[in-house]
Amino acid sequence: MTQSVFIQNPSPLAVQSPYPAGEHSLPRNSGRALEMDWVDEIRINLSAAERRVASLPGRRTVKKDAQAGWLLKAVTCIDLTTLNGDDTAERVKRLCAKAKTPVRGDLLERLGFAGRELHTGAVCVYHRFVATAVEALDGSGIPVAAVSTGFPAGLVPHDLKLKEIEASVRDGAQEIDIVITREHVLTGDWRALYAEVRDFRAACDNAHLKTILATGDLKTLRNVAKASMVCMMAGADFIKTSTGKEGVNATLPVTLAMLRMIRIYQERTGYKIGFKPAGGISTAKDVLNYQFLMKEELGRDWLEPELFRIGASSLLADIERQLEHHVTGHYSAFNRHPVG
């Protein structure tokens, strides 16, 4: 009989609600005036960034109980997502049910985690399904995130973008994942990008603003870094890599560039900004590398859902498979771990 595995140190696995008692527990980024000197001074060494992230798998690895602990922590940071043209209310309700119980009870019991709260960081949907998700998650402490501003291309009129944000907030969304106008970055119009995101921040009111840079469309790491800094100065609570719809989505070099900007912004302003990689993170092995990089670059605080989210859907199924393998020694089929 397989021995029950008890996770020895509970503190890294404590499930911290993103917004305890309905409030934000970290001081929110209020933004600041656009400092063009901060933007103009940014330089990125591409080869150094690539070497840095290439060294991760060889330097960082976790096995057995430690790996199970890291993966359970990853579950609490997932923005469980459905953003498909054939989404339905019933699919969203199933996704919400999975968000509330992301790992099977028998596996949690074998891991020594029975009776402890475990849920995903949020559920992410289109505006049409915000009210459905809010109702399905009532009382769970799980926030609803709404993609907005003409997601994924972001090419609708600015006034409509603001109205979409306001409508999602009225329907109960606690987080708004906006897309920026990529043209502002590609033409170096940083003042236009700042003004756009500043308007989005105002429209969000008390909802958290997560700015999607669509990094695969921005061409260079320097553009990614500069856009990150401008969005934070405009008041973003999170910066996010991708919509998941671009040809290239989250990558470790892009993540490194964005994390370095978060570090600089914190050093200069005192505000901690969250980070969300999205698109293409589908295996437990993938997410561990992002967790390792987060901890190395920004520290332990950025392993919590208040400051780290992963935009994903199939990732949860693979994490559950890895946990099952850990306690039984056998891998199961993906269809035994439905997400939504």
Side-chain angles (χ1 to χ4, degrees), residues 266-281:
Q266 184 198 8
E267 290 170 352
R268 290 176 173 173
T269 69
Y271 288 114
K272 294 180 176 181
I273 306 301
F275 175 71
K276 179 177 173 179
I281 304 173

Side-chain angles (χ1 to χ4, degrees), residues 126-135 144 146 164-174:
Y126 279 113
H127 166 71
R128 175 184 174 91
F129 299 108
V130 168
T132 300
V134 168
E135 181 180 1
V144 174
E164 185 179 17
I165 292 172
E166 292 164 355
S168 290
V169 172
R170 283 196 303 271
D171 280 358
Q174 293 174 268

Side-chain angles (χ1 to χ4, degrees), residues 31 34 40 55 63 93 95 101 117 130 163 176 182 199 217 221 229 241 255 271 283 296 307 315:
L34 178 63
D40 294 339
S55 71
K63 302 292 184 182
K93 290 176 184 177
L95 194 75
T101 311
E117 183 183 12
V130 168
K163 289 177 180 177
I176 305 294
R182 282 71 126 182
D199 284 351
D217 290 342
L221 286 186
M229 184 60 71
T241 61
T255 294
Y271 288 114
T283 70
E296 286 188 358
L307 291 171
L315 170 64

Side-chain angles (χ1 to χ4, degrees), residues 5 60 73 79 86 114 153 170 201 205 214 255 290 294 316:
V5 178
R60 293 287 184 182
K73 173 54 68 180
D79 279 5
D86 59 352
R170 283 196 303 271
R201 173 69 159 79
D205 194 20
T255 294
Y290 282 92
M294 292 291 289
L316 182 55

Side-chain angles (χ1 to χ4, degrees), residues 142-195:
I142 304 172
V144 174
V147 294
S148 194
T149 64
F151 179 96
L155 295 177
V156 300
H158 187 68
D159 62 329
L160 296 183
K161 294 178 181 181
L162 299 180
K163 289 177 180 177
E164 185 179 17
I165 292 172
E166 292 164 355
S168 290
V169 172
R170 283 196 303 271
D171 280 358
Q174 293 174 268
E175 302 176 4
I176 305 294
D177 289 30
I178 63 94
V179 288
I180 65 169
T181 301
R182 282 71 126 182
E183 181 184 7
H184 297 332
V185 178
L186 297 174
T187 60
D189 194 345
W190 304 113
R191 296 185 187 280
L193 178 62
Y194 176 87

